[in-house]
Amino acid sequence: MPDSTATLTRGAVHRSGRGGWSWFARRYGAILPMAPGMLFLVVMSIYPTIYSLVISLFRWNLSDPTRMRFGGWHNFGLLLTDVTFWNAVGVTFKFVLIAVSLELILGLAIALLFFQRFPGDRFLRALLILPMVVAPVVVGLLSRYMLNVQFGIITFLTEALGLGRIDFFGEPNLALGTLIVIDIWQWTPFMFLIMLAALQGVPEDIIEAAKVDGARPVRIFFDHILHLIRYPVAVAVALRLIDAFRVYDIIFMTTRGGPIDVTQTLSWQIYDAGFKSLDIGYAAAYSWLMLIIVVATVTLVLRLLLNEQASR
Amino acid sequence: MISATPAMPRRSPLRTRARILTATRAGAALIVSLLFFAPIYWMILTALKSGNEAFKATPSLIVWPDFENFALVFTQSNFGLALSTSLFVSVTSTVLCLVLGASIAYPLARVKMRGQKHIAFWILSLRIIPPIAVIIPLFLLLRSVGLTGSIWSLVIVYTYMNLPLTVWLLRGFFADLPTEIEEASFVDGAGRLRTFIGITLPLTAPGLIATALLCFIFAWNEFLFANILTGAATRTAPVGLTEYVTPVSVEWNKIMAAGTLVVLPVWIGALAAQRYLVRGLTLGAVK
Amino acid sequence: MTAYSSIKDVTPGVSDGKVAGIEFAAVNMTFADGTTALKSLDLTIEEGEFVVFVGPSGCGKSTALRILAGLEQATGGTVAIKGRDVTDLGPQQRDIAMVFQSYALYPHKSVYENLAYPLRIRGLDKGTIETAVAGVADLLGLTALLKRKPGALSGGQRQRVAMGRALVRNPEAFLMDEPLSNLDAALRVEMRGEIKRLHRRLGVTTVYVTHDQVEAMTMGDRVAVLRGGELQQFDAPQRLYEQPANMFVASFIGSPAINLAMAAIGAESSVMTLAGTEIGLPPSRRPEGHPAGPVMVGIRPEAFSYRRDLEHDVSLTITPDLIESLGAELLVHFALPAAPVPVALTSSAKSAVSPIALSGNAAEMSTRFIAKLDARCAYAVGKPATVWFSTDHLMLFEAATGRTILASAPMIKLSV
Ligand SMILES: Nc1ncnc2c1ncn2[C@@H]1O[C@H](COP(=O)(O)OP(=O)(O)OP(=O)(O)O)[C@@H](O)[C@H]1O
Ligand SMILES: [Mg+2]
């Protein structure tokens, strides 16, 4: 961590002599309140970081905690040659990329619907944003209930439509798609809120100038507005990516990685390795790889979004 | 609306078109909103259904509300305890977050110090780490101080989890307050602490409350840590919920009633903080 | 205002001898980012004086005031208030009151609470606070507004509350940073008078920051003109106008700004060539000791007259190219016939002239003139005419540095 020893850079400190409590109070008094919180953050983040870095280099299974052998890159090597790891990478990317991009598009589209006021829009907006504050555990239970093959409301609908009973979580071809739809249901409102705020932040005179220039609404949207909201879009996408990579609760409540391995995400596998197989060295190495993947993806997507838009 | 000049036709074609457009948009917005709300409606409806109505062949869309399920949730299980545990953990960690967060954010917003930006971004970067990646070391850390299974382990973890968000939000709210107002108070003779309590806090109260609500929501909904760090006596509501689902009996009415109880306080909070929700969810990047 | 002095510190070390109200000694200010806002400021303000800091934007006026208030720590030098060194004291310990440009009222407190705040902090009892606030409210006509929040006040009323908050506790000094700049023109003139009246009544040392030279001239007992962090001149308004220390002060004070042109001093310094016209200089108006060569000459627009009389005996033939009417007077714009001035000299003059006087390029600047003439002159655009002035009104500045060589003759009553 750079420069955690912050000092006041206001002048004139040198004039009054050093030493003593009053000198200390004048110089550091204003930033002293930061100490407890910063200490807490440092301990809580540095300790796990170092710990996990160290144990990732060890072969250590808690089912036999006394046998801890240094393995070097062993865990990493094991991971990179493991098909289940690469399967999890594929599943996670499919989930994250499809869900987030659809959420962005849908969120933006709905924001356009709400951009100009109409009677009752506040009430509808209040309804619309509710899904994102529903606890993921509740979302999992609710979707299980609604998709239940015997008595779920969705099953009732699919039967009414002549599609028969569909086991959305049990069918290998459908399980991941179902999870994606659930994620879209829960998080499109988030995108919507941010896109709406972004659209409302576009200076009106720019849109008016474009109108006066004779541009049609569609042109204005693609030529100007999309460019002007690229920063909020980037922030929203980055945050959603970070959160989508974490997906765990929903899987825990529904598919638990199955059927077979079609919903085995990185988060799920780390949990599996750490708390079921108790192979914590392996889980730690896994965590590091996941962190690298998340950071790299977010960076890459941000760069794509901001550069491509800027070069228009 | 009455047109200003009587000579004009009351409805110009342009205005009629605008009306139709607005009506179309409103209609589409209505459908979309209902679509997103439908599952939630279904949950509440099920919670209010009595007995076997939940498993009827033709689901009914409207029922006479029956609060029996809610009563059963409290009487037949420990869910009441889980709710109160959740409440305690969420409120305590929220208060801790605000206190620690404000004492970091205020100097960060007001005092010139070396490496200010680095500190702020380091704090923000903590938000990117997936919880699953730190859960094992955190678990071992908390176990080594004997806190696993204790309610305090969750308080600590949630405080840690929400602190970066809190710092970023509060920093923004403090920075938005014109320095001159605080300077006026200094000149009027008030010290830093008195100015902070008497001037800064009241003026940033809406932001503080919104931040508190967000912290509360995130702590309240959290499951991963709660599942691993709690014992039978210290279950939070999300963990308690999972135990309703047993292979033997699946009482969906009660599950939905319990789910509604988990979701309800958070909705009220979210609706109250709507104005700040965007800012909060984007860590202050979008206002 | 209620007389109450209980909160006033008895300043130690104040003897009967002369103690300055406020003293800046070699105050330097360099911000963390390297910006130098003040360079060795030396300034002594008498007890009870009304002093105005004036200068173009970014010249360091606010910085000087904030250092005086203790809101900013100077990087060098000392500040004293009533003989007490306050350099290392926080704003709380300085016993000064300040009116901010944005007023900085506490938006969550009523007008009454805003006014009472400084007294509450000093722990005064309820009765004292009530009388003090009532007195100030009465003085400023705020009595009817005491229950309102600042958000429900007009700009002028807010300004009064800000003043009231400063007045209520009888401080050692009032500091005001552009307190009137958010008001409309009429209200500004009204408040200007009111502040002056208050000052006369209370006699508290006041430092007033403005970028408006009219405010500075009308309000200040003395005016400090700053430029780029350096004090240019600290003098009574009339002296700034008649005896500016340099070309910057000359062009900053007065509206419309002083006319400036390149001219050449003849070998004997008895003759000056301006725009190809030779003007004889009487013995009292000769730049003694100045070598022959280029100078900048300045003539205030008010110094011109449309007719010849005892005080206006030098003529200039002009062709007005724009005439603006102010009612009683006309602003007659004209160009001086191009003078054969060497290019090199023009550019050195350019650097000496303030950015304010510089409209367009230097050559144009030196030949654009404005004369403020009685409306009876009935001059017309495009019709050649004659304007008169006196060598008494000429100011001469060093072409290279802008330093004043010869100010206008003192005690001259300028015709309007
Ligand atoms: N906190 C700061 N950090 C860095 N530079 C500053 C700071 N405050 C002021 N400055 C710089 O110091 C110089 C003087 O600023 P100051 O505010 O005193 O000007 P001013 O005379 O009050 O101008 P104005 O009439 O626009 O208010 C300017 O160049 C300004 O940019
Ligand atoms: Mg200023």
Side-chain angles (χ1 to χ4, degrees), chain B:
Chain B
M1 236 170 70
I2 302 156
S3 65
T5 37
M8 290 259 289
R10 269 193 55 156
R11 279 189 191 177
S12 67
L14 213 70
R15 205 185 290 174
T16 313
R17 236 192 75 189
R19 263 164 200 252
I20 293 172
L21 219 66
T22 306
T24 319
R25 276 191 306 110
L30 178 71
I31 292 170
V32 170
S33 306
L34 290 182
L35 217 56
F36 274 88
F37 183 66
I40 292 165
Y41 178 73
W42 193 239
M43 172 173 76
I44 298 172
L45 197 73
T46 309
L48 293 171
K49 280 176 184 171
S50 59
N52 287 332
E53 190 141 13
F55 301 98
K56 262 183 17 187
T58 314
S60 40
L61 285 175
I62 297 170
V63 292
W64 186 252
D66 177 351
F67 292 94
E68 196 198 355
N69 295 317
F70 291 96
L72 289 176
V73 163
F74 284 107
T75 54
Q76 281 187 349
S77 70
N78 282 335
F79 198 68
L81 179 68
L83 277 176
S84 63
T85 304
S86 267
L87 194 67
F88 175 81
V89 170
S90 306
V91 168
T92 315
S93 72
T94 299
V95 170
L96 272 174
C97 254
L98 284 187
V99 172
L100 292 177
S103 55
I104 295 177
Y106 186 70
L108 219 45
R110 279 289 188 259
V111 184
K112 283 172 212 148
M113 62 185 95
R114 230 186 288 146
Q116 206 157 18
K117 279 232 170 83
H118 295 293
I119 295 172
F121 274 98
W122 174 72
I123 292 172
L124 182 65
S125 74
L126 297 177
R127 174 75 172 66
I128 201 175
I129 301 168
I132 194 83
V134 292
I135 192 160
I136 294 168
L138 271 184
F139 177 77
L140 296 171
L141 175 68
L142 291 166
R143 202 178 60 174
S144 70
V145 290
L147 276 175
T148 37
S150 149
I151 211 167
W152 292 104
S153 63
L154 278 187
V155 171
I156 290 171
V157 168
Y158 292 167
T159 306
Y160 171 59
M161 183 177 84
N162 287 329
L163 199 49
L165 169 93
T166 312
V167 169
W168 265 73
L169 285 179
L170 294 188
R171 191 178 80 124
F173 288 122
F174 290 141
D176 281 354
L177 185 70
T179 45
E180 288 199 345
I181 291 195
E182 291 171 324
E183 288 174 349
S185 173
F186 295 153
V187 171
D188 282 345
R192 264 193 188 273
L193 189 65
R194 178 152 190 175
T195 301
F196 184 73
I197 291 169
I199 306 291
T200 313
L201 282 187
L203 290 177
T204 47
L208 292 173
I209 292 167
T211 309
L213 281 169
L214 281 172
C215 286
F216 180 88
I217 291 173
F218 291 139
W220 180 266
N221 284 350
E222 209 282 333
F223 173 71
L224 176 61
F225 285 105
N227 192 29
I228 285 160
L229 295 177
T230 55
T234 57
R235 250 170 234 136
T236 63
V239 180
L241 264 185
T242 62
E243 302 187 351
Y244 269 100
V245 194
T246 56
V248 190
S249 80
V250 182
E251 295 172 286
W252 285 108
N253 310 53
K254 277 191 238 164
I255 296 175
M256 291 297 119
T260 306
L261 287 173
V262 171
V263 164
L264 221 52
V266 160
W267 277 348
I268 295 165
L271 291 180
Q274 226 191 109
R275 206 155 67 81
Y276 294 92
L277 218 50
V278 171
R279 191 169 170 167
L281 291 169
T282 57
L283 297 122
V286 180
K287 281 180 191 167

Side-chain angles (χ1 to χ4, degrees), chain C residues 338-403:
Chain C
V341 176
V343 177
L345 293 176
T346 320
S347 66
S348 76
K350 181 179 169 182
S351 64
V353 177
S354 86
I356 289 201
L358 262 178
S359 57
N361 61 50
E364 197 186 336
M365 180 278 310
S366 59
T367 55
R368 298 297 318 169
F369 265 48
I370 297 176
K372 195 176 192 180
L373 302 175
D374 194 300
R376 281 171 293 183
C377 71
Y379 287 170
V381 170
K383 266 171 67 182
T386 306
V387 289
W388 297 86
F389 65 97
S390 159
T391 52
D392 280 351
H393 302 149
L394 289 181
M395 297 186 199
L396 299 182
F397 307 99
E398 257 179 20
T401 63
R403 204 172 50 81

Side-chain angles (χ1 to χ4, degrees), chain B residues 112, chain C residues 31-33 35-37 55-64 72 101 177-178 209 211:
Chain B
K112 283 172 212 148
Chain C
F31 285 104
D33 65 356
T35 319
T36 298
S57 187
C59 69
K61 313 178 289 285
S62 296
T63 305
E72 214 82 63
Q101 181 174 2
D177 192 353
E178 311 207 12
V209 164
H211 61 257

Side-chain angles (χ1 to χ4, degrees), chain A residues 239-254:
Chain A
L239 287 169
R240 268 312 295 145
L241 284 175
I242 291 169
D243 280 348
F245 271 108
R246 298 176 172 185
V247 64
Y248 169 83
D249 306 5
I250 285 270
I251 298 176
F252 182 92
M253 296 306 294
T254 56

Side-chain angles (χ1 to χ4, degrees), chain B residues 112 180-192 194-195 198-199 202-203, chain C residues 66 71 91-92 96 98 100 102 104-109 117-118 121-122 165 169:
Chain B
K112 283 172 212 148
E180 288 199 345
I181 291 195
E182 291 171 324
E183 288 174 349
S185 173
F186 295 153
V187 171
D188 282 345
R192 264 193 188 273
R194 178 152 190 175
T195 301
I199 306 291
L203 290 177
Chain C
R66 290 171 57 81
L71 295 170
Q92 296 87 355
I96 38 102
M98 186 159 171
F100 291 82
S102 64
L105 301 179
Y106 310 123
H108 58 308
K109 292 180 188 286
Y117 187 73
I121 284 166
R122 283 164 178 74
R165 197 174 56 185
R169 64 196 169 86

Side-chain angles (χ1 to χ4, degrees), chain A residues 145-163:
Chain A
Y145 174 53
M146 290 178 67
L147 296 173
N148 188 296
V149 191
Q150 262 100 51
F151 49 80
I153 176 88
I154 302 291
T155 305
F156 176 78
L157 291 178
T158 53
E159 279 195 316
L161 291 171
L163 296 170

